[in-house]
Amino acid sequence: MSHNSEDRTLAYQLISFVFIAMLLVFFASVLVTRSIYKKIILDTQLDNMRHLAHERVYLLDGIMANVEALGRVSLDLMSNPQISSSTFEEHLKNVLLDNPTVHSICYVQDPEDGGRPQMLNTIRNSFIKREISGKDFLYYDWYQIPTISGKAGWIEPWFDGEGKGVLMVSYAMPMYQSGEITGVLRFDIELAYLQELLIHNASFRVGNSFLVSSTGTLISYQDPNLVMHQTLFSLAQEYDDPDLARLGYAMVNGEMGHIFVNGGSPMARSWIYYHPLKSNRWSVAIAIPERDLMASVNIILWIQTLASIIIFLVVAIILYARAVNVSKPLRTLAIAADKIGSGDFDARLPVSDKSFEISRLTDSFATMQQSLKDYIANLKTTTEEKEKIHGDVVYASEIQTNLIPSNCPHPLDIQELRAYGILEPAGDIGGDLYDYFMMDEDHFCFVIADVLGKGIVAAMAMTMVSTLLPSIAPYHKSSSELLKKLNIFLCRNNVEANFITIILGVLNLKTGELQYSNCGHVPMIIRKIDRSFIRYHETHATALGVFENLEIGSDTIRLNQGDEIILFTDGITEAMNDQEELLGTAGLEEIISRLSNPNPEETAKSILNAVHDYARGSSHKDDITILVIDYKHPGLIQDTNRA
Amino acid sequence: MSLRSKSITGIVLVTMLLLVFGTTTCKRKASDPKFQKFQGPSGTSPDSLFHIRVRPKWHPQAQFAGFYMAKKMGFYENYGLDVEMLDILPDSEAVLSIINRETDIINIDLLTALSMNRDSTVVLNIGQISQKSAVRLVGRKSRGINSVADFNGKKLGLWRYGSNLISQAFLAEQGIKMEIVPIDWSINLFTQNVVDVINVMQFNEYHQLLQAGIPEDDLFVVTMDSPGYNIPDEGLYVSPEFYAAHPAICKAFTEATMDGWTFAFTHQQEAIDEVIAQMQKAKIRANPAHQAWMLAQMQDIVLAKPDRLGILTRNDFDNALKIMRKMGSDIRGIAYEEFYPLVAQ
């Protein structure tokens, strides 16, 4: 997954992380703030609504109580037999003129005896009295309710078609005479007057006030289309709003409290406080839409949001500037690091004291730069020395190679013999050796040896052996004598005390008699012309170069026609495959048993190839040396083994 | 409970029938030749329409939605009629206006119409809009009215004219004696607890009580749909003279009016909007929820006998006479065919 490099800059990451953190904190802050403010404002506004509702209730109750009092006084006058009808009417006239609240007064006496309702009101301070015709009034609420119940009370707003033709709110009182109801006295207030009071006459304005009657009818409301047309229950039904129905039941039951109305009605999403009137079963309500209630909260939240954005921008700019400033030496350092990586160890590192961490990093880079320079200088010197040593080693290897006899069909031009040798050092130079030479006219000496260890020291030891043996051989006729001399020489001159395993054989070319000594070396194998072979595992002493007074024995055998002497070092038997399993003597014998007709070159190469195949995949390496000598003497008698 | 479950079953059946009926009616307006079959005495031009004066029973409301929709949708014109809707009058005065030839067609209850014919035939039925009684007696359980027996000795708010005979007959048969308080239209005597029981129409005052904050489960309701009392309410009436002179006009008016009803039932919102418009025009209280309720109830009432739409059945006629005689009326023996002459056509 790849990222835009701009996305990974320090400034970008700092700002983005800060932004996310601030965003989370901001949202949490807004939610908590809104919740707290909403509760505080709601509590405050409910208090305001309560005060306002109480104010309206006191106002309406005051008006109604005044009308009720006027009514009771008038009723008392009417019931007084000493008060004439003209005096009574004069009283009512004064009531109307002195109390503009009272829109009209109506009274009816003895309707069963033909009494007609007398309607009294004033128009521009003129007193007017007229009689209502017909008998329909007998079935009006204002007449029926007081006469049937026998009690005075406020009746539901009604349309006074026989009066001014407007909606009236009436206080109707039964008139008694001798304990019998003989008529009704009615005081009217124009509904519009109360509506006007509710809407405008308030000490402070909070929300919208409305008034409902005892049946839940909207008597006063901001939308005149609903007034007297709708009840809270009809609105609840029309808008399928149970909250409105709950409000309606609470109000018509004379309860006091507040409710939140949801739904889709004209009062939707409003807080409504309601309070009953004392005069009748009406109820005043104050409604505040939640959006108005939350308006101030929303302003605060907007300000908070704006402030948060400004704070974020300021913080972002500061962070960006600082991050760019701080990361500038880092970029310079990165460029310098690239130069150092490409080999310019003298590249100049930035100097910064703006950040402790970056300063430490620069110092570390400087230390690393110096260390690299020193290391490279040392490496250069070492490499030069190594190359020089390597050159010496190569030269030594050439010398060592030259010490080994070159392969030719008949060694030393001796026709009875064929020999083939392979020396494959593990490194540039090795510690193995094979050699052959004539001790005198009849005796052919061959040797194969392995110096413990590798490298220069082993090669030097080998060189000593290969130069010493030919030089002292003419003075010794037996292999054991010769090896004793060699052992003494090695013990005295071998500084590193490397010991050497060796097989040295002396072959009498005339008799085919082979005297040999094996000092700690791997066995010699003689392969017969019939492809059988004999392994000579006897050793005649331990390895040379350790004990100066070492006793060395020997054995003598007689070679038959076509016998093939196979000599090798432990690099053959200790070859490992990829499972780290040794080839071993048994493995070598298996290889030898599969060889074709005796031929020193073929035999040596076949063995070497087989060993290579076996060791393929293995990291183990050792010097490998093979020497195969084929002896053919026509005078020898077949089938004679040992002397 | 059994009465209520019967009502529910009836409503379901009627609604299913209405769906079938309604779809055919919708198509009828555009293509049914019925709307062209009556061309009036002198063709179909506006000047040649037959002018007819109709006096509804009450102020504009969904109770008369069929009239308004028939007029608005041009059904009357299709039948060659130019209908004029007159102001309302009390039933007795409405009948008087028929006699005085100030009105051609009035809309009154069956029992009221029969009682008007007590001495001589003054009105004839030319169409029966209501097919079942919507009259109810209701009391408040919270005021101790939990059975018909609880009515005894209580005050009953009963219409001073109109559909009051069924309630009286019912109470008489139940042996209930109540103090009758004659009322006009107000429910306030009941909501103010001045009367204990009130006579209401299911489609009107009953719902007004609910809209006045009386919980439905607080109402004890007596439904007049038991055998013998289920007398259909309003019908269309003319004077015998008018009928004799214009029988085809009478039949056309009834058919157009019932087309108006079926249209109203299948286009309820349109009908309610028209009713509200009529109410606002008359400057009276307009309450959409109440009008929707009323129209739904009228659907139940008008379609109570779907195969007898607009027809006064002999059974209802006979039951009405029985009720009147049971109440001691000395109504003369008017024949069904005489009272409802359209049955012969």
Side-chain angles (χ1 to χ4, degrees), chain A residues 543-602:
Chain A
L544 305 184
V546 181
F547 305 110
E548 190 175 329
N549 56 350
L550 183 70
E551 287 298 324
I552 299 172
S554 66
D555 273 317
T556 303
I557 58 174
R558 188 180 296 270
L559 296 181
N560 289 330
Q561 178 75 19
D563 280 358
E564 195 174 56
I565 304 165
I566 300 172
L567 300 163
F568 50 93
T569 57
D570 59 3
I572 295 290
T573 53
E574 292 177 5
M576 284 185 185
N577 62 9
D578 54 0
Q579 305 294 317
E580 296 191 350
E581 294 167 342
L582 293 172
L583 175 65
T585 308
L588 178 63
E589 288 175 354
E590 172 70 21
I591 293 168
I592 290 170
S593 68
R594 294 199 305 268
L595 292 174
S596 57
N597 289 334
N599 180 315
E601 184 177 353
E602 289 293 323

Coordinates of all heavy atoms in Angstrom, one line a residue, chain A residues 543-602:
Chain A
A543 N 50.9 -40.6 13.8 CA 51.3 -39.5 12.9 C 52.7 -39.0 13.2 O 53.1 -39.0 14.4 CB 50.2 -38.4 12.9
L544 N 53.3 -38.4 12.2 CA 54.7 -37.9 12.4 C 54.6 -36.4 12.9 O 53.6 -35.8 12.8 CB 55.4 -37.9 11.1 CG 55.5 -39.3 10.4 CD1 56.4 -39.2 9.1 CD2 56.1 -40.4 11.3
G545 N 55.7 -36.0 13.5 CA 55.9 -34.6 13.9 C 55.5 -34.3 15.3 O 55.4 -33.1 15.7
V546 N 55.3 -35.4 16.1 CA 54.8 -35.1 17.5 C 55.9 -35.7 18.4 O 56.4 -35.0 19.3 CB 53.5 -35.8 17.7 CG1 53.0 -35.5 19.2 CG2 52.4 -35.3 16.7
F547 N 56.2 -37.0 18.3 CA 57.1 -37.6 19.1 C 58.4 -37.9 18.4 O 58.4 -38.6 17.4 CB 56.5 -38.9 19.7 CG 55.2 -38.7 20.4 CD1 54.0 -39.1 19.9 CD2 55.2 -38.0 21.6 CE1 52.8 -38.9 20.5 CE2 54.0 -37.8 22.3 CZ 52.8 -38.2 21.7
E548 N 59.5 -37.4 18.8 CA 60.7 -37.5 18.1 C 61.3 -38.9 18.1 O 61.8 -39.4 17.1 CB 61.8 -36.5 18.7 CG 63.1 -36.4 17.8 CD 64.0 -35.3 18.4 OE1 63.6 -34.4 19.0 OE2 65.2 -35.5 18.2
N549 N 61.1 -39.6 19.2 CA 61.6 -41.0 19.3 C 60.5 -42.0 18.8 O 60.4 -43.1 19.4 CB 62.0 -41.3 20.7 CG 60.9 -41.0 21.7 OD1 59.9 -40.5 21.3 ND2 61.1 -41.4 22.9
L550 N 59.7 -41.7 17.9 CA 58.6 -42.6 17.5 C 59.2 -43.8 16.8 O 60.1 -43.7 15.9 CB 57.7 -41.8 16.5 CG 56.5 -42.5 16.0 CD1 55.5 -42.7 17.1 CD2 55.9 -41.7 14.8
E551 N 58.7 -45.0 17.2 CA 59.1 -46.2 16.5 C 58.2 -46.4 15.4 O 57.0 -46.3 15.5 CB 59.0 -47.4 17.5 CG 60.1 -47.4 18.6 CD 61.5 -47.6 18.0 OE1 61.6 -48.3 17.0 OE2 62.4 -46.9 18.5
I552 N 58.7 -46.8 14.2 CA 57.9 -46.9 13.0 C 58.2 -48.3 12.4 O 59.4 -48.7 12.2 CB 58.2 -45.8 12.0 CG1 57.9 -44.5 12.6 CG2 57.4 -46.0 10.7 CD1 58.3 -43.3 11.7
G553 N 57.2 -49.1 12.1 CA 57.4 -50.4 11.5 C 57.1 -50.3 10.1 O 56.9 -49.3 9.5
S554 N 57.0 -51.5 9.4 CA 56.7 -51.6 8.0 C 56.2 -52.9 7.7 O 56.4 -53.9 8.4 CB 58.0 -51.2 7.2 OG 59.0 -52.2 7.4
D555 N 55.6 -53.0 6.5 CA 55.2 -54.3 6.0 C 55.7 -54.4 4.6 O 55.9 -53.4 3.9 CB 53.7 -54.4 6.0 CG 53.1 -55.0 7.3 OD1 53.7 -55.9 7.8 OD2 52.1 -54.4 7.8
T556 N 55.8 -55.7 4.1 CA 56.3 -55.9 2.7 C 55.3 -56.8 2.0 O 54.9 -57.8 2.6 CB 57.7 -56.5 2.8 OG1 58.6 -55.6 3.5 CG2 58.2 -56.6 1.3
I557 N 55.0 -56.4 0.9 CA 54.1 -57.3 0.1 C 54.7 -57.4 -1.3 O 55.5 -56.5 -1.7 CB 52.7 -56.7 0.0 CG1 52.7 -55.3 -0.6 CG2 52.0 -56.7 1.4 CD1 51.3 -54.7 -0.8
R558 N 54.2 -58.4 -2.0 CA 54.7 -58.6 -3.4 C 53.6 -58.3 -4.3 O 52.5 -58.8 -4.2 CB 55.2 -60.0 -3.6 CG 55.9 -60.2 -5.0 CD 56.4 -61.6 -5.1 NE 57.4 -62.0 -4.2 CZ 58.7 -61.8 -4.4 NH1 59.1 -61.3 -5.5 NH2 59.6 -62.2 -3.4
L559 N 53.8 -57.4 -5.3 CA 52.8 -57.0 -6.2 C 52.7 -57.9 -7.3 O 53.7 -58.5 -7.8 CB 53.0 -55.6 -6.7 CG 53.0 -54.4 -5.7 CD1 53.3 -53.1 -6.4 CD2 51.7 -54.4 -5.0
N560 N 51.5 -58.2 -7.8 CA 51.3 -59.1 -8.9 C 51.1 -58.2 -10.2 O 51.0 -57.0 -10.1 CB 50.0 -59.9 -8.7 CG 50.2 -61.0 -7.7 OD1 51.3 -61.5 -7.5 ND2 49.1 -61.3 -6.9
Q561 N 51.1 -59.0 -11.3 CA 50.9 -58.3 -12.6 C 49.6 -57.5 -12.6 O 48.6 -58.1 -12.3 CB 50.9 -59.4 -13.7 CG 50.7 -58.9 -15.0 CD 52.0 -58.2 -15.6 OE1 53.1 -58.4 -15.1 NE2 51.8 -57.4 -16.6
G562 N 49.7 -56.2 -12.9 CA 48.5 -55.4 -13.1 C 47.9 -54.8 -11.8 O 46.8 -54.3 -11.8
D563 N 48.7 -55.1 -10.7 CA 48.1 -54.5 -9.4 C 48.1 -53.0 -9.5 O 49.0 -52.4 -10.0 CB 48.9 -55.0 -8.2 CG 48.6 -56.4 -7.8 OD1 47.6 -57.0 -8.4 OD2 49.2 -56.9 -6.8
E564 N 47.1 -52.5 -8.9 CA 46.9 -51.0 -8.9 C 46.9 -50.5 -7.5 O 46.0 -50.9 -6.7 CB 45.6 -50.6 -9.6 CG 45.5 -49.2 -10.0 CD 44.2 -49.0 -10.8 OE1 43.1 -49.3 -10.3 OE2 44.3 -48.5 -12.0
I565 N 47.8 -49.7 -7.1 CA 47.9 -49.2 -5.7 C 47.1 -47.9 -5.7 O 47.3 -46.9 -6.4 CB 49.4 -48.9 -5.4 CG1 50.3 -50.1 -5.5 CG2 49.5 -48.3 -3.9 CD1 51.8 -49.8 -5.5
I566 N 46.1 -47.9 -4.8 CA 45.3 -46.7 -4.7 C 45.5 -46.0 -3.4 O 45.3 -46.6 -2.3 CB 43.8 -47.0 -4.8 CG1 43.5 -47.7 -6.2 CG2 42.9 -45.8 -4.6 CD1 42.1 -48.3 -6.3
L567 N 46.0 -44.8 -3.4 CA 46.3 -44.0 -2.2 C 45.5 -42.8 -2.2 O 45.2 -42.2 -3.2 CB 47.8 -43.6 -2.2 CG 48.8 -44.8 -2.2 CD1 50.2 -44.3 -2.6 CD2 48.9 -45.5 -0.9
F568 N 45.0 -42.4 -1.0 CA 44.2 -41.2 -0.9 C 44.3 -40.6 0.5 O 44.9 -41.2 1.4 CB 42.7 -41.6 -1.2 CG 42.2 -42.8 -0.4 CD1 41.6 -42.5 0.8 CD2 42.4 -44.1 -0.8 CE1 41.1 -43.6 1.6 CE2 41.9 -45.1 -0.1 CZ 41.3 -44.9 1.1
T569 N 43.8 -39.5 0.6 CA 43.8 -38.8 1.9 C 42.4 -38.8 2.5 O 41.4 -39.2 1.9 CB 44.3 -37.3 1.8 OG1 43.4 -36.7 0.9 CG2 45.7 -37.3 1.4
D570 N 42.2 -38.3 3.8 CA 40.9 -38.4 4.4 C 39.9 -37.5 3.8 O 38.7 -37.5 4.2 CB 41.1 -38.2 5.9 CG 41.7 -36.8 6.2 OD1 41.9 -36.1 5.3 OD2 41.9 -36.5 7.4
G571 N 40.3 -36.6 2.9 CA 39.4 -35.7 2.2 C 38.4 -36.6 1.4 O 37.3 -36.1 1.1
I572 N 38.8 -37.8 1.0 CA 37.9 -38.7 0.3 C 36.9 -39.4 1.2 O 35.7 -39.3 1.1 CB 38.7 -39.8 -0.4 CG1 39.6 -39.2 -1.5 CG2 37.8 -40.9 -1.0 CD1 39.0 -38.7 -2.7
T573 N 37.4 -40.0 2.3 CA 36.5 -40.8 3.2 C 35.7 -39.9 4.1 O 34.6 -40.3 4.6 CB 37.3 -41.7 4.0 OG1 38.3 -41.0 4.7 CG2 38.0 -42.8 3.2
E574 N 36.1 -38.6 4.3 CA 35.4 -37.7 5.1 C 34.5 -36.7 4.3 O 34.0 -35.7 4.9 CB 36.3 -37.0 6.1 CG 36.9 -37.9 7.1 CD 37.9 -37.2 8.0 OE1 38.1 -36.0 7.9 OE2 38.6 -37.9 8.8
A575 N 34.4 -37.1 3.0 CA 33.5 -36.2 2.2 C 32.0 -36.4 2.8 O 31.6 -37.5 3.2 CB 33.5 -36.6 0.8
M576 N 31.3 -35.3 2.8 CA 29.9 -35.3 3.4 C 28.9 -35.0 2.3 O 29.1 -34.2 1.4 CB 29.8 -34.3 4.5 CG 30.4 -34.7 5.8 SD 30.0 -33.4 7.0 CE 31.0 -34.0 8.4
N577 N 27.8 -35.7 2.4 CA 26.6 -35.3 1.5 C 25.8 -34.2 2.2 O 26.2 -33.7 3.2 CB 25.8 -36.5 1.1 CG 25.1 -37.1 2.4 OD1 25.2 -36.5 3.4 ND2 24.6 -38.3 2.2
D578 N 24.7 -33.8 1.5 CA 23.9 -32.7 2.1 C 23.2 -33.1 3.4 O 22.6 -32.2 4.1 CB 22.9 -32.2 1.0 CG 22.0 -33.3 0.5 OD1 22.2 -34.5 0.9 OD2 21.1 -33.1 -0.3
Q579 N 23.2 -34.4 3.7 CA 22.6 -34.8 5.0 C 23.7 -34.9 6.1 O 23.5 -35.4 7.1 CB 22.0 -36.2 4.8 CG 20.9 -36.3 3.7 CD 19.7 -35.4 4.1 OE1 19.3 -35.4 5.2 NE2 19.2 -34.7 3.1
E580 N 24.9 -34.4 5.7 CA 26.1 -34.4 6.6 C 26.4 -35.9 7.0 O 26.9 -36.1 8.1 CB 25.8 -33.5 7.9 CG 25.7 -32.1 7.5 CD 25.7 -31.2 8.8 OE1 25.6 -31.7 9.9 OE2 25.8 -29.9 8.6
E581 N 26.3 -36.8 6.1 CA 26.7 -38.2 6.3 C 28.1 -38.4 5.6 O 28.2 -38.0 4.4 CB 25.7 -39.1 5.7 CG 24.4 -39.1 6.4 CD 23.2 -39.8 5.6 OE1 23.4 -40.0 4.4 OE2 22.2 -40.1 6.3
L582 N 29.0 -39.0 6.3 CA 30.4 -39.2 5.8 C 30.3 -40.3 4.7 O 29.5 -41.3 4.8 CB 31.3 -39.7 6.9 CG 31.6 -38.6 7.9 CD1 32.4 -39.2 9.1 CD2 32.4 -37.4 7.3
L583 N 31.2 -40.2 3.7 CA 31.3 -41.2 2.6 C 31.9 -42.5 3.3 O 31.3 -43.6 3.1 CB 32.2 -40.7 1.5 CG 32.5 -41.7 0.4 CD1 31.2 -42.1 -0.4 CD2 33.5 -41.2 -0.6
G584 N 32.9 -42.3 4.1 CA 33.5 -43.5 4.8 C 34.3 -44.4 3.9 O 34.3 -44.3 2.7
T585 N 35.0 -45.3 4.5 CA 35.8 -46.3 3.8 C 34.8 -47.2 3.0 O 35.1 -47.6 1.8 CB 36.6 -47.2 4.8 OG1 37.3 -46.3 5.6 CG2 37.6 -48.1 4.1
A586 N 33.7 -47.6 3.6 CA 32.7 -48.4 2.9 C 32.2 -47.8 1.6 O 32.1 -48.4 0.6 CB 31.6 -48.7 3.8
G587 N 32.0 -46.5 1.7 CA 31.5 -45.7 0.5 C 32.6 -45.7 -0.6 O 32.3 -45.9 -1.7
L588 N 33.8 -45.6 -0.1 CA 34.9 -45.6 -1.1 C 35.1 -46.9 -1.8 O 35.2 -47.0 -3.0 CB 36.2 -45.2 -0.4 CG 37.5 -45.2 -1.3 CD1 37.3 -44.2 -2.5 CD2 38.7 -44.9 -0.5
E589 N 35.0 -48.0 -0.9 CA 35.0 -49.3 -1.5 C 33.9 -49.6 -2.5 O 34.1 -50.3 -3.5 CB 35.0 -50.4 -0.4 CG 36.3 -50.3 0.5 CD 36.3 -51.3 1.7 OE1 35.2 -51.8 2.0 OE2 37.3 -51.4 2.3
E590 N 32.8 -49.1 -2.2 CA 31.6 -49.2 -3.1 C 31.9 -48.5 -4.4 O 31.6 -49.1 -5.5 CB 30.4 -48.5 -2.4 CG 29.2 -48.3 -3.3 CD 28.5 -49.7 -3.6 OE1 28.7 -50.6 -2.8 OE2 27.8 -49.8 -4.6
I591 N 32.6 -47.3 -4.4 CA 33.0 -46.6 -5.6 C 34.0 -47.5 -6.4 O 33.9 -47.7 -7.6 CB 33.6 -45.2 -5.3 CG1 32.5 -44.3 -4.7 CG2 34.2 -44.6 -6.5 CD1 33.0 -43.1 -4.0
I592 N 35.0 -48.0 -5.6 CA 36.1 -48.8 -6.3 C 35.6 -50.0 -6.9 O 36.0 -50.4 -8.0 CB 37.2 -49.1 -5.2 CG1 37.9 -47.8 -4.9 CG2 38.2 -50.1 -5.8 CD1 38.9 -47.9 -3.7
S593 N 34.5 -50.6 -6.3 CA 34.0 -51.9 -6.8 C 33.3 -51.7 -8.1 O 33.1 -52.6 -8.9 CB 33.0 -52.5 -5.8 OG 31.9 -51.7 -5.7
R594 N 32.9 -50.4 -8.4 CA 32.2 -50.1 -9.7 C 33.2 -49.7 -10.8 O 32.7 -49.3 -11.9 CB 31.2 -49.0 -9.4 CG 30.0 -49.5 -8.5 CD 28.8 -48.6 -8.7 NE 29.1 -47.2 -8.5 CZ 29.0 -46.5 -7.4 NH1 28.6 -47.2 -6.3 NH2 29.3 -45.3 -7.3
L595 N 34.5 -49.6 -10.5 CA 35.5 -49.1 -11.4 C 35.6 -50.0 -12.6 O 35.4 -51.2 -12.5 CB 36.8 -48.8 -10.8 CG 36.8 -47.7 -9.7 CD1 38.2 -47.6 -9.1 CD2 36.5 -46.3 -10.4
S596 N 36.0 -49.5 -13.8 CA 36.2 -50.3 -15.0 C 37.7 -50.9 -14.9 O 38.3 -50.9 -13.9 CB 36.0 -49.5 -16.2 OG 36.9 -48.4 -16.2
N597 N 38.2 -51.3 -16.0 CA 39.5 -51.9 -16.1 C 40.6 -51.0 -15.5 O 40.5 -49.8 -15.6 CB 39.9 -52.2 -17.5 CG 39.0 -53.4 -18.1 OD1 38.6 -54.2 -17.3 ND2 38.8 -53.4 -19.4
P598 N 41.6 -51.6 -14.8 CA 42.6 -50.8 -14.1 C 43.3 -49.8 -15.1 O 43.7 -50.2 -16.2 CB 43.6 -51.8 -13.6 CG 42.8 -53.1 -13.5 CD 41.8 -53.1 -14.6
N599 N 43.3 -48.6 -14.7 CA 44.0 -47.5 -15.4 C 44.1 -46.4 -14.5 O 43.1 -45.9 -14.0 CB 43.1 -47.1 -16.6 CG 43.8 -46.0 -17.4 OD1 44.3 -45.0 -16.8 ND2 43.8 -46.1 -18.8
P600 N 45.3 -46.0 -14.0 CA 45.5 -45.1 -13.0 C 44.7 -43.8 -13.2 O 44.0 -43.2 -12.3 CB 47.0 -44.8 -12.9 CG 47.6 -46.1 -13.5 CD 46.6 -46.6 -14.5
E601 N 44.8 -43.3 -14.4 CA 44.1 -42.0 -14.7 C 42.6 -42.1 -14.5 O 41.9 -41.3 -13.9 CB 44.5 -41.5 -16.1 CG 43.9 -40.1 -16.3 CD 44.3 -39.5 -17.7 OE1 45.2 -40.1 -18.3 OE2 43.8 -38.5 -18.0
E602 N 42.0 -43.2 -15.2 CA 40.6 -43.4 -15.1 C 40.1 -43.6 -13.7 O 39.1 -43.1 -13.2 CB 40.2 -44.7 -15.9 CG 40.3 -44.5 -17.4 CD 39.3 -43.5 -17.9 OE1 38.1 -43.4 -17.4 OE2 39.6 -42.6 -18.8

